[in-house]
Amino acid sequence: MRRTVAREKLMLLIFQMEAQQDRSEEAIGTFKSFYMEDQDQVEYFDAVLKRYLENSKEIDEIIENGSSGWHLGRMARVDLAVLRLAVTEICFMEGEKESLRAPAGAAINEAVNLAKKFGSEDSGKFVNGVLGKIARSR
């Protein structure tokens, strides 16, 4: 599995956890048993997921501050899941080994592609704008 596919699966898991309000180890384990058959990117998947779960409140604050008047409750759930994944990669992976980190530009590009694939017609532009503002402020 390529990193792009692992990001897509992480976004889907974040979306699922937040939609179902279930971050339990059981829910995560069930998701991984269905969608992580290829072990190639498991270390990356686990590292980003761990950082997301540890920092989700701060991640949401960063997104809200970077979204110019958009409250999280007004955002499309897909867009929010994509933003949560990208902000985790951009802002919270510094303690991980280099092979698990991505440059901000790569994380933003991948997030825009995910937003275009799973979101609305305007999702790519919205995600790009929010993440660009966040990256510039770091």
Side-chain angles (χ1 to χ4, degrees):
M1 168 179 23
R2 294 179 46 230
R3 182 70 51 98
T4 298
V5 176
R7 277 190 183 94
E8 181 175 312
K9 291 179 183 195
L10 272 162
M11 187 277 298
L12 293 172
L13 177 57
I14 291 169
F15 178 89
Q16 176 183 304
M17 286 188 308
E18 300 308 328
Q20 296 177 349
Q21 294 296 299
D22 186 359
R23 295 176 171 207
S24 68
E25 288 184 30
E26 181 181 356
I28 293 168
T30 300
F31 181 92
K32 286 176 70 174
S33 71
F34 281 106
Y35 296 106
M36 295 299 292
E37 63 282 344
D38 186 342
Q39 298 294 308
D40 184 40
Q41 293 291 330
V42 170
E43 184 180 18
Y44 161 79
F45 184 97
D46 288 342
V48 175
L49 179 59
K50 176 182 179 223
R51 295 296 180 135
Y52 170 71
L53 293 171
E54 291 173 345
N55 300 289
S56 61
K57 288 183 189 213
E58 191 173 350
I59 290 165
D60 283 353
E61 289 172 11
I62 291 169
I63 293 169
E64 201 149 6
N65 291 336
S67 62
S68 300
W70 281 81
H71 297 289
L72 299 182
R74 288 187 56 214
M75 293 180 194
R77 288 185 183 210
V78 169
D79 296 352
L80 186 53
V82 170
L83 289 167
R84 286 171 166 157
L85 169 60
V87 170
T88 302
E89 282 197 281
I90 294 167
C91 301
F92 294 96
M93 294 299 289
E94 59 273 343
E96 297 293 337
K97 62 185 178 180
E98 191 172 335
S99 65
L100 298 177
R101 296 186 306 232
I108 292 170
N109 185 56
E110 292 278 339
V112 169
N113 289 337
L114 283 171
K116 287 178 180 178
K117 181 175 181 178
F118 291 100
S120 71
E121 185 177 318
D122 295 326
S123 291
K125 293 176 197 170
F126 176 71
V127 165
N128 188 51
V130 173
L131 294 176
K133 184 175 180 183
I134 290 168
R136 284 189 301 276
S137 71
R138 290 198 42 79

